Amino acid sequence: MTKYFLLFCSLSLLFLSCDRAERSKHNIKVSFDESVSTTDKDGRLLLMLSTDDSKEPRFQINDGLNSQLIFGMNVEDMEPGESFTFDESIFGYPYPSLKDVPPGEYNVQALLHVYETFNLSTGHTVKLPMDNGEGQHWNTSPGNLYSKPFKITIGDNGIEDVSVVMDQKIPPIPEPEDTEWIKHIKIKSEKLSEFYGRNMYLGAHILLPKGFEEHPEAKYPLMVFHGHFPSDFGGFRTTPPDPNLEPKYSARFDLDGYNIIQQQEAYDFYKRWNEPDFPRFLIIEIQHPTPYYDDSYAVNSASQGPYGDAITYELIPYIEKEFRGIGEGWSRFLYGGSTGGWEALAVQVKYPEEYNGCFAACPDPIDFRAYCLTNIYEDDNAYYYDSEHKKLEIPSHRNYLGDIQSTIKQGNHLELVLGDKSRSGQQWDIWEATYSPQGEDGYPVRIWDKMTGDINHEVAEYWKENYDLRHILERDWDKLGPQLKGKIHIYCGDMDNYYLNNAVYLMEDFLESTTEPYYDGEVLYGDRAEHCWNGDPDQPNAISRLRYNSMYVPKIMERIAESAPEGADLTSWRYQ
């Protein structure tokens, strides 16, 4: 009798478990109100859940340890009041499905990242998120629709009867205003407008030298600071730090009052800029966001268009004409860190005689045998180390002690939630949008399967021949060597957070041992230095990263002295 009783109990528990599974629901409906109707009704619909009350869920999504939850789907022709349902089938991060979300209380929020339709000159029609002055950020882009967060409870039976209505629209961002020192320009690019089938613009913030108005005879060298989208010219302040500024702690640098340090460094640069012995330059920060990222990587690209030519042959000459630049290759210099470091080196390599030197700090991968920790030519998978019996994920971010915060798989899965077809606006996708050939559908061809990490080696070969900077230099050194002699300067911490130093080692091996003529530049490393170490051995990262606009000037002056052609203007801009 005991045996039959146990069997009866076991069957009862099984049926009860199945009944609970059948009754478990994980559905959240999302719509938008007609009060915030939008002209473009296509886009990426995002649903976010958060257990952190400190700020809105849309500001808590990242690939670090403190990320909250997000799920995403494409929508087309979304009409006011029309509901789209997030159920267990919709892919999410860091939980792949709503059914995996633990029971508890959450803040819920939805956002529509609006897509615009582009009819490209290549004959393709694509739907992409246009930058709207924010620097290509889905959570702050003007025109995007979103809801105010509210509390929901996820129970053992899932989520029931939850509807989220987006009734808010992100407002436009005002343009920065000109000052005595800083001017702002925006021009229509004919090259980019033709490619995208609509008007496209390039912008820049220009820092004028002391005495610009008082010396109309002077023409100036140009320093081009490459990097992410700048809302205004950074690191320049004409007044001392605000005495009422409340000190803020920087977790990245473990420094109290880092915001005060930043203001002091900006004011110190202003004072240095005005000193009698400081050379008079034009410094520009470029605005070149694309529908794929906050900047174009400053090179021509199959899917992003001719940004390299547009910047070098349209934007730069316009600035030099308007602000009395010398306008010759020997008088132009490139510098920047991270993305800007790659751009500085790539632009110098792609346009060797249009610029006279690059200072590339912590550059994004400049040799794709070390695409962070992946060799895209020899590895079969980007997410896991090669092993017969052990499945170990490849990391993507560490601190200076080697502690891991994220993996390549996790970062790519977050991007896949934010947008398919390389449309997430994040790091791995912009590399793909820049380096990959254009697919039959008009979007970039994947370098690897975004879900599994399996690498497409045909695409890797395309990357190699067009954007692997070390390979291009080695392949074309007979021609490029004489044009680049003395122009390449690379700096990187040997504990770069993204393992970017690995590619720098490979580049250094080529430059130092196999170049003829000798490249006659420098490659330097910061001991235990993290990301954005830029060549200053005497200051910590927290300080040296605030001195980009002045730290390379002595080396630039040396370069001008040794390389300017006979008859070059070396005096009109050397006033006190």
Side-chain angles (χ1 to χ4, degrees), residues 129-237:
M130 185 63 190
D131 178 76
N132 293 296
E134 85 286 355
Q136 200 54 268
H137 296 289
W138 61 270
N139 53 3
T140 61
S141 184
N144 281 354
L145 311 183
Y146 69 100
S147 65
K148 292 182 179 179
F150 63 91
K151 295 280 187 181
I152 66 169
T153 298
I154 299 179
D156 292 334
N157 292 329
I159 310 165
E160 297 181 5
D161 299 324
V162 173
S163 294
V164 181
V165 179
M166 298 179 290
D167 58 1
Q168 308 291 310
K169 181 183 288 189
I170 300 175
I173 297 173
E175 296 284 350
E177 296 182 0
D178 287 352
T179 69
E180 174 188 359
W181 294 96
I182 299 171
K183 307 301 179 184
H184 309 87
I185 62 102
K186 183 174 289 186
I187 67 167
K188 175 185 174 183
S189 166
E190 297 298 335
K191 297 179 184 295
L192 296 174
S193 297
E194 179 182 0
F195 178 83
Y196 280 100
R198 70 183 298 282
N199 290 342
M200 297 291 287
Y201 297 88
L202 294 170
H205 311 309
I206 301 103
L207 178 62
L208 300 180
K210 177 185 177 182
F212 180 81
E213 297 293 343
E214 293 79 9
H215 293 270
E217 78 288 352
K219 291 189 175 181
Y220 303 96
L222 180 69
M223 294 170 60
V224 183
F225 187 20
H226 275 290
H228 297 292
F229 181 91
S231 59
D232 205 336
F233 194 95
F236 187 85
R237 181 183 176 90

Side-chain angles (χ1 to χ4, degrees), residues 19-61:
D19 182 57
R20 283 179 177 174
E22 289 176 359
R23 289 190 289 110
S24 178
K25 300 292 184 182
H26 296 88
N27 297 326
I28 298 178
K29 295 182 178 180
V30 178
S31 62
F32 74 88
D33 189 83
E34 62 181 5
S35 64
V36 292
S37 183
T38 177
T39 303
D40 296 297
K41 300 172 183 178
D42 305 326
R44 189 71 172 178
L45 187 60
L46 302 169
L47 176 72
M48 293 151 283
L49 300 171
S50 172
T51 56
D52 183 352
D53 293 333
S54 64
K55 50 190 171 183
E56 295 180 44
R58 62 184 168 128
F59 299 124
Q60 298 180 347
I61 306 301

Side-chain angles (χ1 to χ4, degrees), residues 334 344-358 469-470 472-474 476-490 507 510-511 515-522 559 562-563:
L334 305 154
L345 181 58
V347 171
Q348 184 66 79
V349 170
K350 296 282 187 177
Y351 303 90
E353 295 187 325
E354 297 293 341
Y355 302 91
N356 197 20
C358 70
L469 299 182
R470 188 275 318 162
I472 292 171
L473 286 176
E474 185 172 7
D476 301 336
W477 191 254
D478 287 347
K479 176 183 178 182
L480 291 175
Q483 297 173 320
L484 294 176
K485 182 177 174 64
K487 295 183 179 182
I488 296 176
H489 308 77
I490 305 173
M507 176 68 84
F510 165 70
L511 292 174
T515 54
E516 179 59 44
Y518 180 61
Y519 82 110
D520 199 25
E522 63 181 353
R559 177 66 188 164
E562 69 185 21
S563 65

